[in-house]
Amino acid sequence: MEKYKQEFIEFMVDCGVLKFGDFVTKSGRKTPFFVNTGFYRTGSQLKRLGEYYAEAINEKFGLDFEVLFGPAYKGIPLSVTTSVAIADKYGKDVKYCSNRKEIKDHGDTGILLGSPVSDGDRVVIIEDVTTAGTSIRETLPIINAQGDVDIVGLVVSVDRMERGQGEKSALSEIEDNFGLKTTAIVTMAEVVEHLYNREYNGKIIIDDEIKTAIDAYYDKYGVK
């Protein structure tokens, strides 16, 4: 596993973003792990988060694109910090852009924040965690309405690796339904591989009991 992936997993633990226990997802699934990106709360945390996204984007898609689009609301700071990281780390200046939930009719009018999207632009979409496709269904028409653009792909922080609306993973469904390439900084399989029965900061994060609960969860909700 790449070093930046290992560092990112530990970074999520340090920030309280990745937790293990008893949780319920928005879809009503009882889950032994939870990823809450709302716990990235400081400037230094956002700076590092952007750097991890930048590495994942460069590894999967390269840097031949013009716009990094982050859907409102969580995608707004992600697009900003990652565009800064791409400039710092790779010397590539990409534009950041997000949508508003409500169209503004005065001052800086329109539905977009940040850079406009123009004909010929290549766009990468950035989000927090694996989505069931709801956000993408809302986002694609907004981007495509701006002109003749090429949407390169979608990057998320964590691929939960569970079924979406059918038998495939949520990210695989997005690829099939919308013709998009997708990637994640890490998958949950990589998280388990790195943390299982391994001491980190004086504690075993994923012990045998938690590993058993994770395995049972994927037996029920994982991709067949």
Side-chain angles (χ1 to χ4, degrees):
M1 188 190 314
E2 294 89 337
K3 187 172 184 292
Y4 82 89
K5 290 176 178 281
Q6 297 175 9
E7 292 177 353
F8 179 65
I9 293 166
E10 294 169 3
F11 172 64
M12 287 193 291
V13 173
D14 291 341
C15 294
V17 168
L18 175 63
K19 296 182 178 180
F20 297 91
D22 294 313
F23 308 96
V24 178
T25 67
K26 286 183 180 179
S27 60
R29 295 175 178 175
K30 292 183 178 180
T31 173
F33 59 89
F34 198 72
V35 180
N36 185 351
T37 57
F39 278 88
Y40 296 122
R41 293 174 173 173
T42 71
S44 62
Q45 289 172 347
L46 286 175
K47 179 179 184 295
R48 288 186 63 188
L49 179 61
E51 292 167 352
Y52 293 125
Y53 267 110
E55 289 211 47
I57 290 169
N58 184 50
E59 184 178 277
K60 176 70 175 186
F61 304 130
L63 299 175
D64 185 20
F65 65 96
E66 289 73 41
V67 180
L68 190 60
F69 189 96
Y73 289 103
K74 286 186 177 180
I76 296 174
L78 296 180
S79 66
V80 174
T81 191
T82 305
S83 63
V84 172
I86 289 172
D88 286 345
K89 193 173 184 66
Y90 301 109
K92 167 75 174 183
D93 209 18
V94 301
K95 299 178 284 187
Y96 79 89
C97 181
S98 297
N99 63 295
R100 292 184 172 96
K101 289 291 188 179
E102 302 84 18
I103 297 176
K104 190 176 179 183
D105 60 4
H106 61 282
D108 181 18
T109 60
I111 197 170
L112 299 183
L113 294 166
S115 172
V117 179
S118 307
D119 282 347
D121 278 345
R122 289 167 56 83
V123 181
V124 170
I125 301 171
I126 184 169
E127 292 205 83
D128 55 351
V129 293
T130 307
T131 145
T134 304
S135 177
I136 290 296
R137 288 185 180 89
E138 296 172 351
T139 300
L140 290 181
I142 294 171
I143 298 174
N144 288 324
Q146 309 309 310
D148 183 14
V149 300
D150 178 12
I151 300 178
V152 176
L154 164 71
V155 58
V156 299
S157 61
V158 180
D159 179 0
R160 287 182 59 97
M161 298 181 65
E162 59 192 79
R163 292 196 305 276
Q165 297 176 344
E167 293 302 312
K168 293 185 177 182
S169 72
L171 284 186
S172 293
E173 287 180 350
I174 289 170
E175 290 187 345
D176 291 346
N177 294 338
F178 305 105
L180 290 181
K181 292 181 180 179
T182 65
T183 194
I185 303 175
V186 294
T187 67
M188 276 306 299
E190 290 169 328
V191 169
V192 173
E193 174 190 339
H194 185 60
L195 294 179
Y196 177 49
N197 274 345
R198 176 179 173 270
E199 187 174 295
Y200 178 65
N201 284 343
K203 181 181 178 182
I204 300 295
I205 306 298
I206 299 180
D207 57 18
D208 289 338
E209 182 179 355
I210 293 174
K211 177 65 161 55
T212 298
I214 292 173
D215 290 344
Y217 182 78
Y218 280 114
D219 284 343
K220 187 172 185 179
Y221 296 116
V223 179
K224 302 299 183 183

